[in-house]
Amino acid sequence: MTCLVLACGDAPIPPRLAELATVTAPAVPAKPDFDELLPRLDELGERSTSAPRLIVVGEDAALAAALTRLMRSERLSVELAYVTATRTAATRLYRLPTGSPAADLAVLGQAAPLPLVRDDSGTALVGLASITGPEGGELVGETYADSTRLFSGTVRSVRVAPTLEAPGVRATVGRGWGFLGPRWTSARAVQTGSTAAVVTRDGVTTPRSLKRCSFYRHPQDWLLVR
């Protein structure tokens, strides 16, 4: 197995990974942080008959940043493993362990293909996105999941998440503060138009409001160690 660890922010590195080659980065890595890392992954792949594996240690935003760079650089043959200390939207979605068990899985587990969900800015979504109005206020506009209209008017929020199988993405509308569970609608694409929408993807909020935002399944899958 050819593994490289990407340690993001101050996330603790389990002892299982301490002897592996490691690259450090901020909590949310940006493009320059991958300038050294991606060529090293290429070298690992050239020296081995198995696919290179990138082990991301951090939060959902770090995993999403790594997947985004692999997608944009056409390196989706690289296997991704995820190690985080606490439960997150992504660990719940993909049924991943945390802490030391996650490190064991990252090294010993097998990678499997999953639908890759991205938005119209070319950013991957690994766990959960929420769409609200400015400063967390009500969202005014409409949302469609494929041809199904989820709402038109005013709602509290829209949540979007990947799915484990086709069609690839799902969405639910928050209309109030009741106790009923969310009703999800699956689709290949979820599109929202609004007077002012604020999008938070995997914990990272857009710096300005948007008139439109879309999440949809990328033509290629990604490889996650599960």
Side-chain angles (χ1 to χ4, degrees):
M1 181 62 63
T2 53
C3 297
L4 181 64
V5 176
L6 175 64
C8 302
D10 58 359
I13 300 178
R16 186 74 164 84
L17 307 180
E19 300 302 320
L20 297 178
T22 300
V23 174
T24 60
V28 184
K31 183 180 181 300
D33 300 303
F34 292 92
D35 289 344
E36 173 194 355
L37 184 149
L38 293 179
R40 291 182 65 176
L41 282 174
D42 293 340
E43 292 175 7
L44 288 175
E46 292 170 358
R47 296 201 304 260
S48 174
T49 57
S50 60
R53 177 172 296 183
L54 179 62
I55 302 174
V56 179
V57 181
E59 300 294 331
D60 285 0
L63 180 63
L67 179 55
T68 296
R69 296 318 315 170
L70 294 181
M71 175 183 65
R72 292 183 181 181
S73 64
E74 299 183 350
R75 288 179 171 89
L76 289 175
S77 60
V78 173
E79 299 175 354
L80 275 175
Y82 183 34
V83 177
T84 187
T86 58
R87 301 292 288 170
T88 68
T91 62
R92 287 188 289 270
L93 173 62
Y94 305 118
R95 305 182 186 96
L96 297 175
T98 60
S100 294
D104 292 337
L105 178 65
V107 175
L108 302 174
Q110 299 295 314
L114 288 169
L116 196 168
V117 174
R118 55 173 288 179
D119 65 10
D120 40 13
S121 73
T123 302
L125 176 68
V126 297
L128 182 68
S130 64
I131 308 169
T132 67
E135 300 181 353
E138 291 183 325
L139 176 66
V140 180
E142 61 181 10
T143 293
Y144 280 83
D146 289 345
S147 59
T148 300
R149 188 171 67 186
L150 301 186
F151 90 96
S152 180
T154 302
V155 295
R156 180 164 51 88
S157 65
V158 172
R159 286 184 288 167
V160 182
T163 60
L164 300 182
E165 299 175 345
V169 64
R170 64 177 186 162
T172 185
V173 174
R175 299 182 184 276
W177 300 96
F179 294 99
L180 294 176
R183 182 176 300 174
W184 293 90
T185 301
S186 297
R188 286 191 62 87
V190 174
Q191 302 178 70
T192 297
S194 172
T195 56
V198 176
V199 182
T200 301
R201 313 176 191 86
D202 294 316
V204 179
T205 301
T206 54
R208 61 183 64 85
S209 60
L210 307 173
K211 297 295 185 183
R212 297 178 183 83
C213 64
S214 301
F215 292 89
Y216 57 94
R217 183 175 180 177
H218 189 66
Q220 287 181 270
D221 291 345
W222 63 298
L223 297 172
L224 177 67
V225 179
R226 297 178 61 200

